[in-house]
Amino acid sequence: MNVWKKYLHLFKTAETRRFAILFAIIYFAQGMSALPDQTISIAFKDQGFEADDVAAFFLLASIPWFIKPLYGLISDFFPLFGQRRKSYMLLTSSLACGAGLIAAFIMQYSYWELAILYTLMGFGLAYNDVLSDALMVENGKLHDLTGAFQSVQWIAITAASILVGLLGGFFAEHRDLQAAFAVAAIFPFTVLLMAIFFVREKKHAHSGPEAFQETWQALRQGFGERSVWLVAAFIFLFNFSPSFGPAFFYYKTDTLGFSQQYIGILSSIDSTTSIIGAMIYASLSRTAPLRRLINIAIGLSVITLLTYFAYRGETSALFIHMIWGVTNMITTLAFLDLAARACPKRAEATFFALLMSIFNFGTLASQNIGAQLYMALGEGPFAYTWLVVVSTCTTAAIWLLVPLIHIERIEAHARKNQSGKS
C-alpha cells in the first residue's frame, strides 16, 4: 500500500494526473486490440487453413506497426488543422473504431476481407501509439516524469492482456468472431473521447522552414550514428530466432488437446506474472549496468526456452507460462531500455518508433519462420521438439553479438546527454 501511495504521489498536479490517465487508457485500448486474435486463429483453423497461413495473416495485419516512424515524421512535419497530435489522434481512432465495427457486422468473410479490415484497425491503433509516445516524451521531459509515465503505460497494457486472455479464450471457445470485434471496437472509441477531452493542444502557426530544418538536422545526425544501427540489428536478430507463434497454438490445440478457454487462461497467466517481471527489472535497472542486464535477459530466455521441452500437459503448461511471464517481461524491458538509451538527442520519438518497428518485425518474422519450420517437419511432437531446439540455440547465439554493440559506450553517452540537457 505504501508503495502505491508513493507511486501515485509522483503525479502531484492536475496536469500530470491528466496525462497519466490519458496514457493509461490509450495503452489499455492498445492492449485490448488483440482481443480477436485467438478467435481469428481458431476460425481460420476451422476453415482448413494451416499454421503458416495464420502466421502470414498476422504478419500482414502487423505492417502498420512496422512503419511507425513514418507516422511520427508526418505528425512532426505536417500539423493537421494546426495541431500535431490531437487532430491525428481523432482521425486515426475513428478509423480504427470504424474498421472494428464493420468487421463485427460481417457474417461471412473471406481471408483477405478480414485481413484488410484488421490491418486498417491496426493502422489506427499504431498511429495512436506513436502520438501517445510523442506526448509522453514531450510532457515527461517537461515534468521529469518520463519513467513514471512509461510505467503507467506498461501496467495498463499488461492489465489489458490479462482480460484479452480471458475474454479472447471465451470468444474463441464459442467461435464468436463478431462479438470479439464488437468489444474490441469499443476501445478505439474510448481513445477518441480521450483525445477530445484530455488532449489539450493549442492550434498554432507552424514555424515553417526553420522548424523543418531543425528537425531534419536532428534526423540526419541520428541516421549517421553507428550505434543506432548496431542496436537495431541486435534487437532484430534477437527477436528473429524462430519462435512458436501460430505453430505453438496448433500444437496446443491439435496435439495436447487444450480447450480454447484454457489457452486463453494461459495467456492471462503470462500477463499476470509479467507484472512481477516488471517489478524485478525496475529493481535491477537501478543497480546493475545495462550490459549485465542484457546478458541476464539472454540467459533467462535460453533457460526458459529449455523448460518448453517439458510442455506436455495442462499442469506443466501452467507452470511454464508462469515462468515465461516473468522472464519474458525482464527480457523485453532490457531490450527496450537499450533501444531508449541508443536514441539520439532531439530525435528520441522518431528513433524509438523506428527501433520498436524493427523489434516488432523481428518478432513477427520469427513466428512465420517458426510456423514454416513446424509445417516442414510434419507438425506434432517431433516438429515441436525441434522448434524448441532451434529457438534455444539461435537465442543463445545472440551472446556472441553482445561485445559488438559497445553497450557501455551507449549507456555513458545517454547519461552524458541527460546531464547536459537544459
Side-chain angles (χ1 to χ4, degrees):
M1 183 62 69
N2 289 332
V3 174
W4 278 108
K5 286 181 179 178
K6 291 180 180 179
Y7 180 75
L8 294 174
H9 189 63
L10 291 171
F11 309 109
K12 298 178 180 179
T13 67
E15 184 177 15
T16 56
R17 288 192 292 270
R18 173 169 58 86
F19 278 115
I21 294 171
L22 174 67
F23 299 144
I25 291 179
I26 289 177
Y27 264 72
F28 185 83
Q30 181 182 320
M32 292 301 294
S33 69
L35 187 61
D37 285 5
Q38 188 179 340
T39 313
I40 291 173
S41 296
I42 193 62
F44 283 151
K45 185 179 185 301
D46 290 344
Q47 294 177 31
F49 290 101
E50 301 292 350
D52 52 349
D53 297 318
V54 179
F57 173 91
F58 286 112
L59 179 62
L60 174 64
S62 297
I63 288 176
W65 296 90
F66 303 151
I67 57 175
K68 292 199 307 181
L70 178 62
Y71 313 148
L73 290 172
I74 293 172
S75 176
D76 286 336
F77 280 118
F78 307 105
L80 184 64
F81 303 119
Q83 296 174 315
R84 295 192 302 162
R85 314 301 181 202
K86 183 171 183 174
S87 295
Y88 282 107
M89 192 172 287
L90 293 172
L91 180 64
T92 54
S93 57
S94 298
L95 176 65
C97 181
L101 287 175
I102 293 172
F105 286 103
I106 292 179
M107 300 305 296
Q108 298 291 332
Y109 52 84
S110 69
Y111 180 96
W112 289 107
E113 287 172 343
L114 196 61
I116 291 171
L117 288 172
Y118 203 39
T119 302
L120 285 174
M121 191 174 181
F123 169 74
L125 292 163
Y127 215 125
N128 276 327
D129 178 59
V130 172
L131 297 171
S132 175
D133 282 342
L135 290 170
M136 181 273 295
V137 171
E138 294 165 357
N139 294 281
K141 288 183 175 180
L142 180 64
H143 300 285
D144 197 24
L145 286 173
T146 303
F149 284 149
Q150 285 181 320
S151 68
V152 167
Q153 293 172 334
W154 277 99
I155 290 172
I157 202 168
T158 301
S161 298
I162 296 170
L163 289 178
V164 164
L166 297 173
L167 290 176
F170 174 81
F171 288 134
E173 186 71 31
H174 293 82
R175 307 304 197 267
D176 199 342
L177 185 58
Q178 285 71 33
F181 269 110
V183 175
I186 294 172
F187 296 96
F189 180 72
T190 305
V191 175
L192 174 66
L193 295 178
M194 294 300 294
I196 293 173
F197 297 107
F198 274 65
V199 179
R200 299 170 186 173
E201 183 181 9
K202 295 180 180 180
K203 294 184 179 180
H204 57 86
H206 192 47
S207 53
E210 292 183 5
F212 189 98
Q213 185 66 22
E214 183 180 348
T215 305
W216 176 247
Q217 288 298 331
L219 291 173
R220 285 187 60 186
Q221 182 180 355
F223 280 116
E225 290 190 13
R226 181 170 175 265
S227 61
V228 173
W229 297 111
L230 285 173
V231 170
F234 186 57
I235 288 173
F236 174 79
L237 290 173
F238 178 80
N239 286 288
F240 185 66
S241 59
S243 66
F244 306 155
F248 193 35
F249 175 79
Y250 274 57
Y251 173 74
K252 288 184 288 188
T253 303
D254 293 340
T255 303
L256 300 182
F258 290 176
S259 70
Q260 295 304 304
Q261 187 70 67
Y262 191 68
I263 292 174
I265 291 172
L266 292 175
S267 178
S268 293
I269 289 171
D270 277 348
S271 300
T272 302
T273 55
S274 69
I275 296 175
I276 300 173
M279 295 172 64
I280 292 173
Y281 185 81
S283 177
L284 289 174
S285 64
R286 294 189 181 97
T287 57
L290 185 57
R291 177 167 177 166
R292 186 184 303 169
L293 293 176
I294 292 294
N295 282 319
I296 290 173
I298 297 172
L300 287 174
S301 294
V302 171
I303 293 171
T304 306
L305 284 169
L306 289 173
T307 67
Y308 276 81
F309 283 117
Y311 201 106
R312 302 299 179 186
E314 290 189 357
T315 302
S316 59
L318 180 66
F319 284 105
I320 290 172
H321 277 273
M322 291 173 66
I323 296 169
W324 174 252
V326 175
T327 58
N328 184 54
M329 178 56 73
I330 293 173
T331 301
T332 298
L333 288 176
F335 278 85
L336 290 179
D337 198 354
L338 175 62
R341 299 193 200 198
C343 291
K345 193 176 181 179
R346 292 186 300 273
E348 294 90 347
T350 297
F351 279 91
F352 189 75
L354 172 64
L355 292 173
M356 289 305 95
S357 295
I358 294 171
F359 187 98
N360 293 333
F361 179 70
T363 301
L364 267 294
S366 75
Q367 292 180 3
N368 275 262
I369 296 296
Q372 295 285 347
L373 181 61
Y374 184 73
M375 297 298 298
L377 292 173
E379 306 180 69
F382 177 79
Y384 169 77
T385 299
W386 274 104
L387 187 56
V388 175
V389 171
V390 172
S391 185
T392 303
C393 291
T394 52
T395 299
I398 300 299
W399 260 320
L400 301 175
L401 302 179
V402 173
L404 303 178
I405 308 303
H406 303 296
I407 298 175
E408 296 93 339
R409 188 183 305 169
I410 293 172
E411 192 172 18
H413 185 66
R415 193 179 298 113
K416 180 181 177 181
N417 282 342
Q418 184 178 12
S419 61
K421 70 182 179 180
S422 57

